[in-house]
Amino acid sequence: MGKPRYRIEVVLERDGKVLMDSITARLLEILERKGSLLSVVKDLGLPYSKAWELINRLESGLEIKVVNSRRGYKGGMLLTIEGREVLNTYRTMTRRYVWNPDGSVCDTVYAGSDDCIVRDIISEMRSEGYCIDAYWVGSMNGLSMVMNGLADIAGIHLVDPMSGEYNVSYMDSLGAWDNAVLMRGYLRLLGIVHRPYLSIGDLTDILGLRMVNRNPGSGTRLATELLLSGIARHTGYDVEELRRTIKGYNDVVKTHVEVTEKVARGLADYGVAITGQALAMGLSVKPIALEEFDIIISKTSIDKPTVKEFIRRINKVNLRPGYVILRNTGELYSR
């Protein structure tokens, strides 16, 4: 017997009556693909009467025709233009609000910065039956999701440009201590990752090359902006002018994996990413910072079994290239 799972479903309703749900959507998808009501009842295990009931419910509720029978075909049926529009709208709404294709959701959510160690821990936990969702939305969005009750755990590496301090100053300024605790993580080597045949000595060498950038709100994007500010001071460029000059500045991806994949495939010459991911892709790295990566945990989630197991594994993480494990890695701090 499998473990219980939560599931979210998108429904179309009118005046409180459900006109379309996931079963109706699957019915229309099979009709669109196979053009046969016979295929629908076989694939879904529905009787003909139930399939027709779902179709009639949708058509009468929307006052449109969503299917047309095909003459000469037993059970043959096609979607109308209106039927395809309804199905496409349902698909769009589902993609927007339901993150997993089958609608399932876990009771534990990680959100925040992409990280090799975190990816490995989540992968190991999933293989052992733990239900944990992961959304690589960047440090700031991850912190916000924990503060607003949308995530249990967030990985962040946010540097204060004025003090050079990581993470704690953002917890202070945003009032995050009321809802969350900070678990000490580890240090990660961040660098300009590039293909091995390129020579990047001085940082100004990147100005004539094509970049792949990270998304706003991510800790890596913040580090990239600090890097560009330093180059601007060194060269005399205005920062805005520098941004306009750099090829690929607006070519934005959400994870370190995507940065290194684009560079490895030759779609970009360089990007800013963590060394561990770059080395795994066979890329070269010019180090720019040893950053602090910490874990933020919602106070209401800290006793969840999945969260406790995540904390335990962070405490036992092994050293790997591009990382520095600290004496206080895994310790919890609150205010």
Side-chain angles (χ1 to χ4, degrees):
M1 180 180 291
K3 292 185 178 181
R5 291 287 188 267
Y6 293 97
R7 188 169 69 88
I8 294 174
E9 183 171 25
V10 174
V11 299
L12 171 64
E13 65 176 22
R14 188 174 193 176
D15 299 328
K17 296 180 179 180
V18 174
L19 308 182
M20 183 176 181
D21 54 17
S22 60
I23 296 296
T24 311
R26 288 174 63 195
L27 182 156
L28 297 183
E29 286 175 338
I30 296 169
L31 280 179
E32 181 184 47
R33 189 170 67 254
K34 298 185 176 180
S36 167
L37 193 60
L38 179 63
S39 296
V40 170
V41 298
K42 284 184 176 180
D43 289 3
L44 296 182
L46 293 175
Y48 271 103
S49 58
K50 181 61 176 179
W52 274 113
E53 178 186 328
L54 295 176
I55 292 170
N56 290 332
R57 181 183 69 176
L58 181 59
E59 291 187 333
S60 61
L62 294 179
E63 300 176 346
I64 60 172
K65 194 76 172 170
V66 298
V67 298
N68 278 329
S69 298
R70 300 167 67 191
R71 293 182 181 180
Y73 290 84
K74 185 178 179 180
M77 191 172 288
L78 292 173
L79 296 187
T80 63
I81 293 174
E82 293 81 4
R84 286 196 296 272
E85 289 177 352
V86 171
L87 177 58
N88 287 336
T89 301
Y90 184 90
R91 287 168 171 162
T92 299
M93 298 299 289
T94 301
R95 284 194 296 267
R96 184 180 302 170
Y97 295 108
V98 181
W99 293 331
N100 292 330
D102 63 355
S104 64
V105 293
C106 297
D107 65 347
T108 301
V109 172
Y110 171 93
S113 177
D114 179 23
D115 180 70
C116 298
I117 290 177
V118 169
R119 279 184 181 272
D120 288 348
I121 287 175
I122 290 175
S123 179
E124 291 168 0
M125 290 178 64
R126 285 173 173 170
S127 71
E128 296 172 18
Y130 290 94
C131 192
I132 178 169
D133 281 333
Y135 304 105
W136 315 109
V137 295
S139 295
M140 190 62 77
N141 287 333
L143 178 57
S144 176
M145 287 177 69
V146 167
M147 291 174 60
N148 288 289
L150 300 176
D152 305 281
I153 307 165
I156 68 171
H157 57 112
L158 295 166
V159 61
D160 184 338
M162 301 300 295
S163 66
E165 181 183 39
Y166 276 87
N167 304 326
V168 172
S169 60
Y170 287 87
M171 295 283 286
D172 292 339
S173 62
L174 296 174
W177 296 108
D178 293 339
N179 303 313
V181 299
L182 183 146
M183 180 171 70
R184 191 71 168 101
Y186 31 79
L187 303 182
R188 312 188 306 182
L189 186 60
L190 193 70
I192 299 172
V193 304
H194 57 90
R195 283 171 289 163
Y197 70 82
L198 288 176
S199 176
I200 298 180
D202 188 279
L203 291 180
T204 56
D205 289 342
I206 69 175
L207 296 182
L209 303 175
R210 182 171 181 82
M211 176 189 200
V212 55
N213 206 352
R214 281 295 307 279
N215 53 304
S218 67
T220 304
R221 177 61 173 261
L222 181 57
T224 301
E225 294 301 318
L226 291 174
L227 172 67
L228 295 182
S229 295
I231 294 175
R233 288 194 299 271
H234 180 73
T235 60
Y237 276 100
D238 176 78
V239 176
E240 283 298 326
E241 183 183 359
L242 191 60
R243 294 188 184 113
R244 290 193 299 268
T245 301
I246 292 176
K247 300 173 185 176
Y249 178 83
N250 293 317
D251 180 10
V252 174
V253 297
K254 293 183 178 181
T255 66
H256 295 286
V257 172
E258 291 173 288
V259 170
T260 53
E261 283 182 345
K262 276 208 162 191
V263 174
R265 292 168 58 195
L267 301 176
D269 296 313
Y270 73 95
V272 176
I274 52 177
T275 297
Q277 183 61 41
L279 295 178
M281 297 291 291
L283 300 175
S284 296
V285 182
K286 181 173 181 58
I288 58 173
L290 193 60
E291 61 178 15
E292 297 177 18
F293 181 89
D294 293 322
I295 306 294
I296 308 303
I297 303 167
S298 169
K299 288 182 177 179
T300 60
S301 305
I302 201 162
D303 289 324
K304 281 186 177 182
T306 305
V307 174
K308 291 173 76 172
E309 180 61 18
F310 183 92
I311 293 172
R312 187 188 74 80
R313 296 189 187 218
I314 289 288
N315 271 279
K316 293 183 176 296
V317 70
N318 294 320
L319 185 65
R320 62 181 70 190
Y323 286 87
V324 177
I325 308 304
L326 305 169
R327 287 186 177 180
N328 61 341
T329 290
E331 290 186 9
L332 298 175
Y333 300 88
S334 61
R335 297 272 176 90

